[in-house]
Amino acid sequence: MELKSNAPTGPIETRWDRHRFGMKLVNPANKRKYKVIVVGTGLAGASAAATLAELGYNVDAFCYQDSPRRAHSIAAQGGINAAKNYQNDGDSIYRLFYDTVKGGDFRARESNVYRLAQISVQIIDQCVAQGVPFAREYSGLLDNRSFGGSQVSRTFYARGQTGQQLLLGAYQALEKMIDAGGVKMFPRREMLDLIVVDGRARGIVTRNMVDGTMEIHMADAVCLATGGYGNVFYLSTNAKGCNVTASWRAHRRGALFANPCYTQIHPTCIPVHGDYQSKLTLMSESLRNDGRVWVPKNKDDVGKKPGSIPEEDRDYYLERMYPSFGNLAPRDISSRGAKTVCDEGRGVGPGGLGVYLDFADAIKRVGKAKIAERYGNLFEMYEQITAENPYEVPMRIYPAVHYTMGGLWVDYNLQSTIPGLFVLGEANFSDHGANRLGASALMQGLADGYFVIPATIGNYLASEGGGKLYEKRPGVDHAEAIKVRDEVSARLDKLLHSKKPTRTPASFHRELGKLLWDNCGMGRTAKRLEAALARIPALRQEFWDTILVPGTGEELNQTLEHAGRVADFLEFAELLCKDALHREESCGGHFREEHQVEEGPEKGEAQRNDELFQYVAAWEWKGADAPQVLHKEALDFEHVKPSQRSYK
Amino acid sequence: MAGDAKTMNLRLHVWRQTSVKDEGRFEEYAAKGVSPGMSFLEMLDVVNEELITTGKQPLAFDHDCREGICGACGVMINGNAHGPQGATTTCQLHMRSFSDGDELWIEPWRARAFPVLRDLMVDRSAFDRIIAAGGYASVRTGSARDANEILIPKQNADSAMDAAACIGCAACVAACPNASAALFTAAKVTHLAELPQGQPERMRRVVRMVDQMDIEGFGHCTNHRECEAACPKQISVAVIAQMNRDYLRAKLIAPADNENAGSGG
């Protein structure tokens, strides 16, 4: 299989414009004949569904939550980047492009990233027009702040709830189109498989989570906007329901899965505090604008009250190691810094897995009121969880799984290797390379949904099947649709009736998560990855032999939902480790301990191997009993020449 | 958090109901060895793990982000929506708010407009329909002008944000003796009324949204202010005054606006 990125060539500034002009259009009268399925209603899905309906397509939208307003984009705190240069501090589309390619450790497609930077500007306009209440200055103009991995202030924000406000904007646009009849909304539905007919994505099988009904939905194209796979680690900052099932089922039907080993560990989360813990809570990276990260210089001081440790006995290690970026070093680098000092025995709090994030200096500088205005809700959240007041004692933070850069492989049009299957937002692999910069996820989700897919899906619909795909749309009684649905039902049945039902889905999920965190987490080695790869198939077997799910499939059954997701995580985990093992280099979120810079000022930093690994690794499913096959899409860097990433 | 060594035992009376058609009843469970650092939902997780391993149906409850922002979770705990602590969602409520030996009555939101789907889960789709009736500023993707061409005084942007912080959890309805959705509806009305972008459809919006609220079967606001006390995002009842004012104006003074404004959307 040859991977054709379909990325345009020529001057990078005009690639997207020229590409758009070259695409076929569907005439307004014909748009209403087409039906498009959108799965997921986060930033990417909701904005896509609303915009496609506005254009005149019939959209069926699906989410597992009770309302499309609750998708996990809502939890994004810090902000959204855009190259507006409203601060006149030297920002430009080119700089955002440059920062993103470099921040991604030279593992993303230049054409995609440039387009993202271009569209960022329109996103802010769109969201403001919708009434998103971004922070303002007294002049009435929009306010900005700076974020990790950048030396300009290009981040737009709505207190610590930017994701919520952007999602509500997209959700309201979606509800408007539901009211207008353009979108049919199916909440509390879980996509359990993809239906491919004559080589094209034609529909999905969903389970109605209220009564267990298995449903078939057919259309002319399918868009997946189903988020990332961070929950494969069990403990992550993702919502409890986030899962890999939709992507994984599409992968098993022929969509290649790209770069699964690129997982982002966010540096500022509240540390783990008990075995019962169900998830980790992020503290926005924006806190690093004013908070200073430190641990005691001496191991003997770790148990002492932080206030009693004098200035000269503190190690502000990010400021020491990265003087020019300091506490705003990119996420992967900050996370590894925390791991290093904790591994040295200088971590603070229970288990020694924590570092201080201290606001004392900032409070002295700008006053408590100003800090409260900037971060009030985050401080409250921290206090609710930990019963400690961060205005008085430093926060304790530790890295946690947060975002996944890998995802289904897509071309420049966001189309996967299955014609008619498009993948948007975190679910695709396309824009962040091996590491995502802060405040770029919201940007990508909305770019894909509002601006990219509405253009590219039209080209697909107008070109395929003689521009009359709708005439040949298979019905819900098509043999292939029935076959897929029956396979899904059989699988659910297996979950409900294992041989020796004794273990809960949560217990398997926890075990798998720990296995991955220990062996495929912040630092990876061939030896540990091999150990994980040896254990996963056995764990999977144990799962299918002993999984315990009470109740039936014909009712609301949350245990059954969880079991299905864990089953897919158990398959996906193997590919994640396999990809991590094959990539014999360190880049971005993928740190192989065997590959670090050995000497000089960059000692201990990630060592890429551009000669051998400057490619996208896209894996093809070959059946449950055969190993996946690796395909490579070579990456070219015409504009941002690969270099050792330095934030010193 | 660090010193949470002492654990507690609690008695739970939980509402069990198999489906919309079932009548429902309280059943009693023991929550043992509860650590004060646990969240309320983690405590329910532990109870559920035990129920599942003994082959029983676990307690069904809605939850997702578990960081107080998605609005999915929410139960009545001893008659308080989201429990005893103010400005807190159920997922952010921690067991240190309770004491050893406490007896907790845990129920779903109760309102005619929210049928109980199972145990502690209710159908809140009425809220989506209220937003669909007008809770937006119509803007076609791609047609927006430069963001800084719309100047918004900081105080307006801030008060719009105060109202927009609503997470749609529906605690306001559950807390209200009339099961009114006034706080929820008014929060969206006020968010958009505070901003220039919300003006063209302002009159039409408030009429449609309030009418939809009535159609869904929510009660009327009679100023009990229980909603404000229960709201995890501390949305002020001042938004209800704003909504009532706009509604009256739309109905009495500007009926023409209400017919015509925003008809392009």
Side-chain angles (χ1 to χ4, degrees), chain B residues 234-264:
Chain B
Q234 297 176 290
I235 303 210
S236 156
V237 289
V239 298
I240 299 179
Q242 172 77 60
M243 174 175 77
N244 289 341
R245 202 167 143 250
D246 276 10
Y247 187 79
L248 272 176
R249 189 165 162 252
K251 283 289 194 187
L252 299 173
I253 304 167
D257 276 6
N258 136 39
E259 291 306 315
N260 300 326
S263 57

Side-chain angles (χ1 to χ4, degrees), chain A residues 40 101 145 176 188 230 260 262 331 346-347 385 401 527 567 619:
Chain A
V101 172
R145 61 185 170 202
K176 182 187 99 178
R188 292 202 197 267
Y262 294 159
R331 291 179 173 173
R346 295 191 287 140
I385 295 173
V401 175
K527 203 174 145 216
W619 299 87

Side-chain angles (χ1 to χ4, degrees), chain A residues 105-292:
Chain A
D105 219 354
F106 307 96
R107 290 293 176 264
R109 243 186 238 143
E110 279 193 336
S111 295
N112 285 59
V113 179
Y114 195 89
R115 173 175 69 188
L116 178 65
Q118 270 177 314
I119 291 175
S120 72
V121 173
Q122 285 171 279
I123 293 172
I124 301 302
D125 298 341
Q126 169 72 11
C127 294
V128 166
Q130 285 174 338
V132 170
F134 283 120
R136 302 248 163 196
E137 297 169 354
Y138 281 103
S139 58
L141 295 165
L142 288 155
D143 192 20
N144 291 112
R145 61 185 170 202
S146 54
F147 237 69
S150 154
Q151 288 173 312
V152 294
S153 290
R154 63 159 73 101
T155 304
F156 295 79
Y157 66 100
R159 294 194 190 145
Q161 291 128 279
T162 317
Q164 179 200 28
Q165 293 308 314
L166 295 176
L167 182 63
L168 292 182
Y171 157 75
Q172 287 163 204
L174 175 65
E175 287 296 337
K176 182 187 99 178
M177 292 318 300
I178 292 171
D179 188 52
V183 179
K184 194 158 180 226
M185 186 68 223
F186 296 86
R188 292 202 197 267
R189 297 298 200 289
E190 182 151 34
M191 169 180 161
L192 293 178
D193 218 328
L194 180 75
I195 301 167
V196 181
V197 179
D198 299 330
R200 292 194 186 97
R202 275 303 200 167
I204 59 173
V205 171
T206 59
R207 180 172 179 273
N208 179 330
M209 294 155 80
V210 176
D211 60 16
T213 315
M214 301 300 296
E215 303 164 333
I216 293 169
H217 301 271
M218 304 302 275
D220 302 307
V222 176
C223 298
L224 296 189
T226 47
Y229 48 82
N231 270 352
V232 69
F233 290 90
Y234 184 69
L235 285 181
S236 83
T237 66
N238 285 187
K240 290 297 284 176
C242 296
N243 65 79
V244 78
T245 291
S247 293
W248 189 250
R249 293 285 126 194
H251 173 61
R252 289 181 52 128
R253 296 281 169 199
L256 267 51
F257 209 110
N259 300 335
C261 77
Y262 294 159
T263 51
Q264 179 163 80
I265 317 278
H266 196 290
T268 53
C269 300
I270 299 178
V272 176
H273 54 82
D275 295 336
Y276 48 80
Q277 187 138 1
S278 59
K279 78 153 291 180
L280 295 173
T281 302
L282 177 81
M283 288 282 106
S284 168
E285 178 169 359
S286 62
L287 292 169
R288 290 199 278 146
N289 271 306
D290 285 302
R292 296 179 72 195

Side-chain angles (χ1 to χ4, degrees), chain A residues 47 50-51 54-55 64-72 74-75 77 84 86 121-122 124-142 158-159 161 164-165 168 171-173 175-176 178-180 187-188 210 234 237-242 270-273 276-282 350 373 380-388 396 450-451 502-507 510 548-552 555-559, chain B residues 1-2 4 18 20 35-39 41-42 45-46 48-49 51-72 85-89 92-94 96 117-118 121-125 127-129 131-155 157-162 164-170 184 188 191-192 195 197 201 208 233-234 265:
Chain A
S47 59
T51 305
E54 227 171 68
L55 286 170
Y64 73 73
Q65 297 88 349
D66 71 322
S67 161
R69 68 179 288 149
R70 307 202 199 281
H72 197 55
I74 206 157
Q77 299 167 351
K84 281 285 197 186
Y86 283 160
V121 173
Q122 285 171 279
I124 301 302
D125 298 341
Q126 169 72 11
C127 294
V128 166
Q130 285 174 338
V132 170
F134 283 120
R136 302 248 163 196
E137 297 169 354
Y138 281 103
S139 58
L141 295 165
L142 288 155
R159 294 194 190 145
Q161 291 128 279
Q164 179 200 28
Q165 293 308 314
L168 292 182
Y171 157 75
Q172 287 163 204
E175 287 296 337
K176 182 187 99 178
I178 292 171
D179 188 52
R188 292 202 197 267
V210 176
Y234 184 69
T237 66
N238 285 187
K240 290 297 284 176
C242 296
I270 299 178
V272 176
H273 54 82
Y276 48 80
Q277 187 138 1
S278 59
K279 78 153 291 180
L280 295 173
T281 302
L282 177 81
E373 188 188 315
E380 279 165 29
M381 188 156 92
Y382 182 86
E383 189 171 356
Q384 267 174 356
I385 295 173
T386 63
E388 290 176 354
R396 273 179 298 107
Y450 280 132
F451 296 103
T502 39
R503 272 189 75 180
T504 65
S507 83
R510 264 200 203 94
L548 166 59
V549 179
T552 69
E555 60 185 327
L556 197 157
N557 190 335
Q558 292 178 307
T559 322
Chain B
M1 168 166 110
D4 284 350
T18 54
V20 177
S35 145
M38 277 182 181
S39 74
L41 297 186
E42 284 167 347
D45 287 344
V46 172
N48 274 347
E49 280 293 285
L51 286 173
I52 298 171
T53 29
T54 51
K56 295 193 186 103
Q57 286 277 19
L59 314 166
F61 58 90
D62 264 317
H63 65 101
D64 206 18
C65 78
R66 296 207 178 189
E67 46 189 274
I69 193 74
C70 76
Q85 196 178 326
T88 304
T89 56
Q92 293 285 286
L93 176 66
H94 280 68
R96 67 179 78 91
L117 297 174
R118 188 182 185 101
M121 290 169 89
V122 298
D123 178 353
R124 284 172 292 198
S125 54
F127 269 17
D128 291 324
R129 291 188 291 273
I131 298 295
Y136 44 77
S138 299
V139 49
R140 190 173 285 279
T141 306
S143 58
R145 56 186 165 152
D146 186 86
N148 256 351
E149 280 184 28
I150 307 171
L151 294 181
I152 302 172
K154 187 173 185 307
Q155 57 272 28
D158 285 349
S159 52
M161 181 64 217
D162 288 341
C166 168
I167 57 173
C169 66
F184 168 80
K188 189 47 64 191
H191 159 210
L192 293 166
L195 300 172
Q197 303 93 306
E201 297 160 291
R208 285 199 68 194
K233 298 296 153 185
Q234 297 176 290

Side-chain angles (χ1 to χ4, degrees), chain B residues 187-208:
Chain B
K188 189 47 64 191
V189 165
T190 303
H191 159 210
L192 293 166
E194 282 288 342
L195 300 172
Q197 303 93 306
Q199 300 313 311
E201 297 160 291
R202 183 170 176 174
M203 294 300 134
R204 181 176 188 261
R205 172 183 310 120
V206 70
V207 170
R208 285 199 68 194

Side-chain angles (χ1 to χ4, degrees), chain A residues 384-397:
Chain A
Q384 267 174 356
I385 295 173
T386 63
E388 290 176 354
N389 178 354
Y391 292 104
E392 281 155 21
V393 291
M395 288 186 177
R396 273 179 298 107
I397 54 165

